[in-house]
Amino acid sequence: MLERRFAVIDADGNGVWQRDDGVLLTRRLCETFGQAPDSAAGQAVARAQQALFDAMLAHFDANNDAQISRDEFVAGVGLDIADRAGFDAAVGSTARTLIQVADTDGNGVLDPGEYTRLAAAYGARADQAERAFSRLDQDRNGVLDAAELTAAISQFFASRDPRARGNVAFGHV
């Protein structure tokens, strides 16, 4: 399960999570939602991806090579995060900017269609995104808000629990 989670963030599939994966993912997200990478939303996503990578690099990068291998990721998930405040800030920013770029109707939350498009940028099929959405919508109100997406992303990176809702933060696992 942890190796499958890693595959979601290794956007170029080269076996390591590195800064370029965030650039590639930002480009995919912007293309998916018709945003220019240099737009305000595109720049916000890029900054958030960078901050999340930096927070995770500090936690996972055991050999200090400025990238996170699959083995480092698998070994580090579930361990106490030294800079929890920094991690929480990066995760929250990531969730808010993902909503900002994917919220095509401008209501501040993600409906199932918006989430399906977001999850597709991470490689999820529509049926996987539909199942994920139902797990992530904790209050069952039919939309994902920043708190729900933040909790899911936090679990995705910090929980070893195979039942954690965050396993499907990006649409599938």
Side-chain angles (χ1 to χ4, degrees):
M1 176 192 60
L2 294 174
E3 289 183 13
R4 288 191 309 266
R5 276 196 238 172
F6 180 81
V8 171
I9 57 176
D10 179 16
D12 62 9
N14 71 350
V16 292
W17 183 21
Q18 53 205 151
R19 291 186 196 287
D20 287 348
D21 290 308
V23 172
L24 179 59
L25 180 58
T26 297
R27 194 172 329 130
R28 279 187 203 159
L29 289 164
C30 287
E31 288 172 5
T32 297
F33 292 98
Q35 300 277 344
D38 62 351
S39 69
Q43 290 178 6
V45 168
R47 282 190 304 274
Q49 292 295 317
Q50 186 63 53
L52 180 62
F53 178 78
D54 289 342
M56 297 294 78
L57 193 64
H59 178 65
F60 290 120
D61 187 16
N63 63 0
N64 296 314
D65 64 354
Q67 57 188 10
I68 301 165
S69 70
R70 180 177 290 110
D71 291 341
E72 287 172 322
F73 180 81
V74 169
V77 170
L79 298 178
D80 286 339
I81 297 172
D83 181 10
R84 189 63 193 213
F87 169 76
D88 290 344
V91 167
S93 177
T94 298
R96 289 186 303 277
T97 61
L98 288 175
I99 290 173
Q100 179 184 3
V101 77
D103 177 25
T104 57
D105 61 11
N107 65 352
V109 294
L110 299 180
D111 63 39
E114 291 165 335
Y115 176 76
T116 296
R117 290 178 66 201
L118 174 68
Y122 287 92
R125 297 184 320 257
D127 63 317
Q128 294 169 324
E130 183 180 331
R131 284 191 308 273
F133 186 91
S134 69
R135 288 190 66 196
L136 299 177
D137 182 15
Q138 294 178 30
D139 58 11
R140 302 288 179 238
N141 67 350
V143 296
L144 297 180
D145 59 29
E148 289 167 323
L149 193 55
T150 297
I153 295 170
S154 180
Q155 290 173 352
F156 182 90
F157 288 107
S159 176
R160 292 188 83 80
D161 180 357
R163 295 176 314 270
R165 294 174 195 258
N167 291 340
V168 295
F170 301 105
H172 63 95
V173 168

